Amino acid sequence: MEKKKRLSAPGTMSKPKVIDIQMDAAFFFERAVQSLDRYHYDKALKYFRRAAEYEPNNPVNHCNLAGVLSETGKYEESNRLLQHVLESIDPAMTECHFYMANNYANMENYEQAEKALLLYLEQDEYGQFLNEAEEMMEFLSIELGRPVQPNSIKSREGFYEHDKARALLEEGKFAEAVRQLEKLLKKHEDLTAARNNLALAYYYMGQFEKSMATIHDVLERDPGNLHALCNLAIFHQHFGNKKELGELLDVLRKTYPYHADHVFKLATTMGILAEHEKAYHLFKRLLKSGEAGLEPCLYHYAAVAATNIGRYIEAEKLWRQAQKADPESNIPAFYLGQLELLRRGEPKPSFSYHYHLPFEEQFKVLEKTQQGIPEHLKKDPLVRSSFFWALRHGDADTKLQVIQAFGLIADNEVQEALRDFIQDPAEDDYLKKVAIFVLRAIGVGEPLKVVLDGQTLVLEASPYSPKLPRWEAKWQSVMDKAVQTMNKRYDMIQQHDLETLWVEFLTRVYPTVPKITKVEGWAAALEYLIAKMHRKAISYYEVAARYNVGVATVSKNVKWIDEACGLREKMDAIFPKLP
């Protein structure tokens, strides 16, 4: 049977179905993504370009296009597009800096890659590519042959700066740590860890009032903060607040922290507070668990605690372990020697929980080296803190020793401490003059603000007296020759006294200053006088031979300086045999 064709009635013919395609940015974006999935980069480029044309102010489209350009090796074009996004469309698209860093790295332009990467880390709030950025930092460090270190990482804002400040504390750079922490806390008030470290930095520098105020600030914000409670207990002990200390000790004795960091903090605190039994068990707990890392200082702390509770055999074993862990240090050997004295029944020596030599022993080390200070002492924060502390709170002799030691350390922290010292009206003028000499000796050439005899002065770099209208080159040559010749045999105090004596002599005889024909003769006379003033064995023959001048010349110049400065009368007790 023949099939009949179905005819539509007139006017009822159906229209073909047509799908209306919306040609917009979203359409081309989808096509671009599909092309990328199939690795059709040429098509993806075409589609992303069209998407950017439809929405020229949408930074995402431009970034996608830049990404494909990078994939196809067109790094320079990719970076031009990313730069356009940052400059003209959306400066907040900080990830563009990261993309640009990748492009520069692929172009082997590592300097530009570093700049772009640092901009990303310092501007990006969310840290989307933080892990990748850290890997790139490591890669660039290798390629550049130096560390790549951002000033800050915005996505870790506060934490990064705090880590830097902690590192400064560990290096003994207390003043710099204070600046970093104060700046950090202005932006992030709730970082209690930073406040605790700021309190410690103040404490190490001897600024007790500031430290105490900072601790109380922490405890107002976080009353149970263990670090702050431990710091407060040490302060109560320092200031002799027996009642407050007793109440706080009752709390700390019953505290059993879980985290290794808290265990270590409480252990060291209890040791300092003479709660040695509690400290011993906490240190042993750390040693058994290994959580705190088996550092030589940890063996030392446990050994000190063991000694103080009469466990001498245990203490010896612990210091032997410290020796193995730190074979180049003389600290374990020193304390083993002290332990032996204790076992013989001699008066009980001091056993400090600090992992460094006692203050007096440190100076014995320094006395053996006038040309430098051992690196382990220079970098040890506890050694440095003891120096800063002594400069503020020691007696005059100790301060003089510290000033001299600072001349051997000679870093920015030392310069800052000495600058503050010479401006303190309460300090002794002679000590301040020595400090000025040390500052000049370590290379500080600019004018120095100083308070002397109750007056604030600005001292120029030249060593002459204000009463001298000029300073002759020959006068300077005498001083230079003497200091150069004396350098390895006289300390900084003695060199300072030489400078003072020479300037005083010239000031007293001016304007009838003797004509200096032979610099060595006057330099020899100055050394002779300084040696006598400081009870150093010396003779005219010895000093004349050293400077290659005649004995008569030295003798004549010595008498001239003595008569002008009145040394015989002023120094008779120290200097009785001046010819």
Side-chain angles (χ1 to χ4, degrees):
M1 184 175 177
E2 185 179 351
K3 291 182 180 179
K4 295 182 178 178
K5 292 182 181 178
R6 178 180 289 180
L7 299 174
S8 297
T12 63
M13 185 173 290
S14 62
K15 295 180 180 179
K17 293 183 179 180
V18 177
I19 299 172
D20 187 18
I21 298 176
Q22 186 82 21
M23 303 288 281
D24 57 11
F27 169 79
F28 289 112
F29 175 82
E30 289 176 8
R31 288 290 190 276
V33 171
Q34 290 172 7
S35 298
L36 282 179
D37 289 340
R38 299 186 181 103
Y39 303 103
H40 296 162
Y41 293 112
D42 54 340
K43 288 186 177 181
L45 271 175
K46 181 179 69 174
Y47 289 131
F48 274 133
R49 287 189 196 279
R50 294 298 302 276
E53 288 171 5
Y54 272 92
E55 291 182 355
N57 294 321
N58 185 340
V60 175
N61 291 327
H62 294 279
C63 286
N64 287 329
L65 177 56
V68 180
L69 288 168
S70 181
E71 286 290 337
T72 57
K74 298 177 181 179
Y75 305 119
E76 291 184 2
E77 187 179 352
S78 175
N79 274 356
R80 283 196 295 272
L81 194 56
L82 292 166
Q83 194 66 43
H84 170 69
V85 171
L86 289 168
E87 291 177 354
S88 305
I89 301 176
D90 187 1
M93 288 281 289
T94 52
E95 58 264 45
C96 289
H97 293 298
F98 178 73
Y99 302 144
M100 292 171 74
N102 272 287
N103 284 336
Y104 282 125
N106 284 318
M107 294 161 65
E108 298 185 5
N109 189 342
Y110 301 120
E111 295 282 351
Q112 285 298 112
E114 179 188 33
K115 289 180 183 178
L117 184 64
L118 294 181
L119 282 172
Y120 168 72
L121 290 169
E122 291 165 8
Q123 295 180 16
D124 183 69
E125 292 186 33
Y126 307 106
Q128 179 183 355
F129 300 109
L130 182 58
N131 292 335
E132 293 87 346
E134 288 176 344
E135 289 177 5
M136 190 183 293
M137 275 197 293
E138 186 176 348
F139 166 74
L140 291 176
S141 295
I142 295 169
E143 293 295 336
L144 293 169
R146 56 175 170 76
V148 174
Q149 295 180 330
N151 293 322
S152 66
I153 296 179
K154 194 170 183 68
S155 61
R156 294 178 60 200
E157 201 164 46
F159 297 101
Y160 180 78
E161 288 88 341
H162 184 220
D163 286 344
K164 283 185 70 175
R166 282 182 63 186
L168 290 169
L169 270 180
E170 290 170 2
E171 293 168 13
K173 297 178 180 177
F174 306 120
E176 196 174 343
V178 164
R179 285 193 294 271
Q180 290 267 4
L181 290 166
E182 287 177 340
K183 181 180 177 183
L184 172 61
L185 287 166
K186 285 180 181 178
K187 295 189 292 182
H188 304 279
E189 294 185 358
D190 296 329
L191 284 178
T192 54
R195 286 190 189 279
N196 276 324
N197 281 321
L198 179 59
L200 283 176
Y202 286 142
Y203 183 74
Y204 288 148
M205 294 175 70
Q207 298 180 14
F208 303 131
E209 291 182 7
K210 282 187 174 182
S211 188
M212 182 67 93
T214 307
I215 290 170
H216 282 301
D217 192 3
V218 173
L219 291 172
E220 283 177 14
R221 298 166 184 270
D222 182 8
N225 189 284
L226 183 61
H227 280 266
L229 290 171
C230 288
N231 292 339
L232 183 60
I234 292 170
F235 271 59
H236 284 322
Q237 183 193 56
H238 177 83
F239 290 111
N241 303 332
K242 294 182 179 179
K243 181 184 175 184
E244 293 88 344
L245 176 59
E247 292 172 354
L248 192 47
L249 269 176
D250 287 340
V251 174
L252 295 177
R253 287 189 192 108
K254 299 171 186 174
T255 301
Y256 291 89
Y258 174 74
H259 293 292
D261 179 50
H262 289 168
V263 176
F264 181 77
K265 179 67 177 180
L266 183 59
T268 52
T269 301
M270 298 306 274
I272 292 168
L273 299 176
E275 295 286 323
H276 304 300
E277 189 76 42
K278 174 86 172 179
Y280 173 76
H281 290 294
L282 289 169
F283 284 129
K284 289 292 286 184
R285 176 179 155 189
L286 287 170
L287 286 169
K288 286 179 180 177
S289 68
E291 290 180 82
L294 300 182
E295 296 289 333
C297 59
L298 186 55
Y299 290 116
H300 169 77
Y301 302 146
V304 172
T307 301
N308 285 318
I309 60 175
R311 300 190 181 198
Y312 301 149
I313 296 174
E314 175 71 9
E316 182 179 356
K317 289 179 181 177
L318 289 163
W319 270 312
R320 297 286 181 204
Q321 288 175 297
Q323 272 187 321
K324 290 180 182 178
D326 192 8
E328 295 183 2
S329 173
N330 55 0
I331 298 171
F334 171 80
Y335 282 100
L336 282 168
Q338 295 294 95
L339 182 63
E340 185 58 32
L341 292 177
L342 184 60
R343 284 169 159 172
R344 291 177 191 169
E346 297 190 21
K348 187 174 183 179
S350 172
F351 289 90
S352 170
Y353 278 95
H354 294 314
Y355 188 60
H356 62 63
L357 296 176
F359 197 67
E360 298 78 11
E361 294 296 322
Q362 293 171 30
F363 280 117
K364 287 180 184 177
V365 172
L366 295 180
E367 286 170 1
K368 296 175 183 177
T369 170
Q370 290 300 319
Q371 297 307 305
I373 184 169
E375 284 300 312
H376 72 277
L377 285 182
K378 189 181 290 188
K379 295 178 180 178
D380 189 326
L382 294 173
V383 172
R384 292 170 67 93
S385 70
S386 68
F387 285 163
F388 285 110
W389 185 309
L391 185 64
R392 282 180 170 270
H393 305 287
D395 58 25
D397 288 341
T398 301
K399 288 181 179 182
L400 203 56
Q401 286 179 305
V402 169
I403 292 168
Q404 185 166 330
F406 276 176
L408 300 175
I409 297 173
D411 60 17
N412 291 335
E413 293 275 319
V414 159
Q415 292 182 26
E416 190 167 337
L418 292 178
R419 287 175 192 273
D420 290 341
F421 182 81
I422 64 177
Q423 294 180 51
D424 189 342
E427 295 294 351
D428 179 78
D429 278 1
Y430 174 73
L431 293 177
K432 285 189 274 192
K433 289 174 182 177
V434 177
I436 292 166
F437 175 81
V438 169
L439 283 167
R440 295 303 187 209
I442 63 180
V444 178
E446 67 268 20
L448 292 170
K449 186 177 180 182
V450 59
V451 176
L452 290 173
D453 197 23
Q455 295 184 322
T456 301
L457 307 170
V458 177
L459 301 183
E460 299 297 329
S462 298
Y464 56 78
S465 163
K467 296 177 183 178
L468 289 172
R470 66 182 187 280
W471 183 256
E472 300 285 353
K474 279 277 188 180
W475 302 346
Q476 184 66 45
S477 297
V478 171
M479 188 185 301
D480 290 344
K481 180 64 179 177
V483 170
Q484 178 187 1
T485 307
M486 295 166 64
N487 186 36
K488 295 181 181 180
R489 294 173 291 105
Y490 292 77
D491 63 27
M492 283 194 166
I493 309 302
Q494 293 155 351
Q495 292 177 43
H496 163 264
D497 288 348
L498 179 140
E499 177 185 287
T500 302
L501 177 60
W502 182 233
V503 172
E504 182 183 355
F505 167 68
L506 294 171
T507 303
R508 284 177 179 268
V509 300
Y510 191 85
T512 58
V513 177
K515 184 179 180 181
I516 298 174
T517 55
K518 195 167 182 63
V519 166
E520 290 79 4
W522 288 98
L526 287 172
E527 178 175 341
Y528 179 86
L529 288 167
I530 293 303
K532 288 290 186 181
M533 290 169 65
H534 287 273
R535 296 184 179 276
K536 290 175 73 76
I538 198 167
S539 69
Y540 280 138
Y541 294 99
E542 177 188 345
V543 77
R546 185 175 296 132
Y547 286 86
N548 195 25
V549 292
V551 170
T553 300
V554 179
S555 175
K556 178 188 70 174
N557 291 344
V558 164
K559 288 180 180 179
W560 201 334
I561 295 171
D562 171 36
E563 289 172 2
C565 298
L567 291 180
R568 189 185 301 274
E569 293 76 17
K570 289 193 298 184
M571 303 299 295
D572 190 53
I574 302 174
F575 195 9
K577 295 183 179 179
L578 180 63

